[in-house]
Amino acid sequence: MSFHEQEDSIILLESRADSSKPKQQALHAHGYAHYPFVQFSAYRDSERTFFLIGITSVVARGFDQPVQWCEWQPLNNGSQQSAPTVATKAHMIYVYYDQLPRLYVVAMVNCTFEEEVGIKNEGGLLFITVSVGPHLGDTERKLALEEKKGTASDLIRKRNNPPSLKIAFCGPPLHGNIRADWILQWLMYYHYLWKEKAHFFFYNVGGLGDSHRRVLDPFLKGGYLTIIDAVDQNIFPSWYHNQLLFINDCLHMTRYLSSWTFFHDMDEFLFVPRPRTLDKLLDRHKEKTFITFGSIPSATSLCADPPLKRSHWLVQRFLWMQKRPHCLSDQDPWVCLQGPGARKYVVNPRKIIAAAVHNTALPSEGGINLNATMARMYHYHGALSGDAKLCEKKVNVSLPRDQLEQEFPEVQQYNTDLSISKAVDKARKYCALFLKTL
């Protein structure tokens, strides 16, 4: 008798023997397929409210509430003993789940208690109850935040006083092979544009090495730059190296730190044509929730060769810009909104709860979308990467336009634009003096 025949006989005998009894077969889960909530940071927002910033599994997002309860436990004279706890239902906030699905999506937890907690400066512990299984009672209690004594009073003081910074910049995740010289030049440009009134937050996911840090050392030592090393973020795959996670972490981190918080990439240069200035624009719209800027792409395959000046940086050799702002819809390109317009923006962080890449998420109203003639981002796509193919064609700028178009027909779709090249000249002079003082 073969093995399969023996096996069939055994199954037949078992079925006859147990035919009067129902057979039970259980499913046994081992480990976690996806984590229901992966926390990155936690911030107190007010006397009653905390926000936890993290990501959640798309499965938990679709079929469950990953975080169910929040619980506050005050410390009595530094001890947890005999300290009464206060609980409240957790409210989940999701950012762009449908547009950018990945294994994990950005999720925030709003813990708002019915009464003020921790305002007597005794410190405390914030716990969350997380779903860990398919049944109603499958939960775990996790520590989300340990608040030190005095934290609440410090927050109230900051909230009731003008921010210490005019501007905060929240950078994208820095990954891969990055040009150290480009980052330094970009940083010097914005240090000039924002007149030393800004602090920069860089999120490093492997792109910044020791050589980059040495280049950036003057800004680090001067207190203008903070580098946040996001450890193990690649274990939890979310859209574009967890960019949305870092955007929302930085938003809540700068809520009471800055008057304005900028979100854009390091291959984008903001330009405000005269007679306007950035300070005047921000002051004019200080009551707005956000301000968005149109994006004009540069032809990074075309480079001025020879450069207009020998000392010119790489960005000053990219002189050809599209004639109209980027727009992937039938909108007016000069006010093309959100993703189709690849717009970037600045927010009043005290008025925003959640943010996305090209626009705010919560709320999405109360701002202004500037016409790109008033202010715009010049986008040098890919220039940050050391692997990008730049300057594939060397263009002699001194040639007459008609001759230039004969040699390089693609030039016809671009304008020759020296706006950034001239602005960078001013930034270089300004920062040369600044760097000597550090």
Side-chain angles (χ1 to χ4, degrees):
M1 184 180 290
S2 69
F3 171 77
H4 292 292
E5 289 173 333
Q6 291 177 359
E7 190 178 36
D8 291 342
S9 298
I10 293 171
I11 294 173
L12 181 60
L13 288 171
E14 286 182 345
S15 64
R16 286 175 179 171
D18 300 328
S19 60
S20 62
K21 298 178 182 179
K23 184 177 180 180
Q24 293 184 342
Q25 186 76 26
L27 292 169
H28 301 281
H30 300 288
Y32 291 104
H34 286 182
Y35 289 92
F37 184 66
V38 182
Q39 182 180 330
F40 185 72
S41 55
Y43 300 97
R44 177 187 276 272
D45 184 70
S46 69
E47 291 88 343
R48 299 191 300 123
T49 300
F50 298 83
F51 283 101
L52 311 183
I53 318 300
I55 54 179
T56 184
S57 156
V58 293
V59 178
R61 157 70 173 89
F63 300 100
D64 194 6
Q65 173 153 326
V67 181
Q68 298 185 12
W69 293 94
C70 305
E71 185 179 348
W72 174 261
Q73 182 174 342
L75 299 180
N76 290 341
N77 298 320
S79 172
Q80 301 178 38
Q81 297 180 355
S82 302
T85 61
V86 181
T88 189
K89 186 175 176 58
H91 296 279
M92 303 298 300
I93 300 172
Y94 300 104
V95 183
Y96 267 38
Y97 164 73
D98 296 319
Q99 290 85 341
L100 303 170
R102 293 294 187 273
L103 291 181
Y104 286 93
V105 293
V106 175
M108 291 185 286
V109 183
N110 179 342
C111 296
T112 297
F113 296 90
E114 292 185 2
E115 58 190 66
E116 297 176 343
V117 294
I119 59 168
K120 296 180 181 178
N121 295 320
E122 72 272 26
L125 304 175
L126 180 66
F127 292 92
I128 55 175
T129 302
V130 183
S131 297
V132 294
H135 305 296
L136 187 62
D138 294 342
T139 59
E140 288 181 357
R141 185 172 181 257
K142 297 288 186 180
L143 177 64
L145 175 66
E146 181 174 357
E147 190 173 81
K148 297 179 180 179
K149 291 183 178 182
T151 301
S153 60
D154 287 345
L155 175 92
I156 295 169
R157 177 180 51 79
K158 289 178 182 178
R159 190 184 62 191
N160 294 335
N161 287 288
S164 58
L165 290 174
K166 175 74 177 286
I167 290 170
F169 168 77
C170 297
L174 294 170
H175 63 93
N177 180 16
I178 291 176
R179 299 176 191 270
D181 58 340
W182 180 278
I183 284 193
L184 177 62
Q185 293 161 9
W186 179 95
L187 191 56
M188 291 171 68
Y189 175 80
Y190 278 98
H191 190 68
Y192 158 75
L193 180 67
W194 292 333
K195 300 295 185 292
E196 301 185 37
K197 299 174 183 176
H199 191 89
F200 300 83
F201 294 93
F202 288 4
Y203 286 80
N204 178 34
V205 295
L208 295 184
D210 292 339
S211 60
H212 298 86
R213 293 175 193 266
R214 284 193 292 271
V215 167
L216 300 173
D217 195 55
F219 290 91
L220 288 165
K221 288 183 176 178
Y224 295 100
L225 170 64
T226 297
I227 296 176
I228 300 165
D229 291 317
V231 180
D232 293 337
Q233 64 83 32
N234 58 314
I235 297 175
F236 310 102
S238 185
W239 184 80
Y240 194 71
H241 305 275
N242 281 292
Q243 183 177 14
L244 283 173
L245 172 68
F246 302 140
I247 284 175
N248 285 281
D249 172 68
C250 198
L251 168 66
H252 285 268
M253 179 169 51
T254 60
R255 180 176 300 282
Y256 299 113
L257 180 66
S258 61
S259 297
W260 295 97
T261 297
F262 276 81
F263 300 102
H264 57 268
D265 294 335
M266 293 180 189
D267 56 3
E268 294 174 312
F269 284 66
L270 177 62
F271 180 73
V272 181
R274 291 182 178 179
R276 299 180 180 88
T277 66
L278 181 61
D279 279 341
K280 289 179 180 178
L281 272 179
L282 295 178
D283 290 342
R284 179 182 177 185
H285 301 296
K286 61 184 178 181
E287 300 303 321
K288 297 293 184 182
T289 304
F290 61 83
I291 304 171
T292 72
F293 309 99
S295 175
I296 297 186
S298 167
T300 54
S301 62
L302 303 175
C303 271
D305 189 42
L308 295 178
K309 294 181 182 178
R310 233 183 216 182
S311 59
H312 267 181
W313 291 346
L314 177 60
V315 68
Q316 294 180 279
R317 298 178 62 193
F318 298 137
L319 303 180
W320 290 273
M321 309 293 172
Q322 281 191 7
K323 295 180 179 181
R324 300 190 306 173
H326 176 92
C327 190
L328 295 178
S329 72
D330 57 0
Q331 302 178 56
D332 177 355
W334 295 94
V335 287
C336 191
L337 303 184
Q338 300 182 3
R343 286 198 159 231
K344 296 301 169 65
Y345 63 101
V346 58
V347 303
N348 179 336
R350 300 188 183 205
K351 297 183 177 182
I352 297 293
I353 298 299
V357 176
H358 298 293
N359 57 291
T360 60
L362 184 67
S364 58
E365 303 85 20
I368 182 171
N369 302 294
L370 291 181
N371 190 299
T373 59
M374 300 175 64
R376 51 189 174 266
M377 289 281 182
Y378 285 108
H379 188 191
Y380 304 90
H381 184 70
L384 180 64
S385 172
D387 299 322
K389 294 181 180 180
L390 308 175
C391 299
E392 293 179 295
K393 295 185 179 181
K394 316 295 184 184
V395 182
N396 189 338
V397 187
S398 63
L399 294 176
R401 181 75 187 192
D402 57 348
Q403 186 178 344
L404 197 65
E405 292 181 357
Q406 284 183 354
E407 291 191 28
F408 304 95
E410 60 267 47
V411 169
Q412 297 178 30
Q413 59 186 305
Y414 299 105
N415 286 328
T416 303
D417 191 328
L418 303 181
S419 301
I420 291 297
S421 183
K422 292 178 179 179
V424 166
D425 273 335
K426 297 176 182 177
R428 294 178 63 180
K429 292 176 183 177
Y430 179 88
C431 286
L433 296 173
F434 159 75
L435 292 174
K436 286 180 181 179
T437 64
L438 294 179

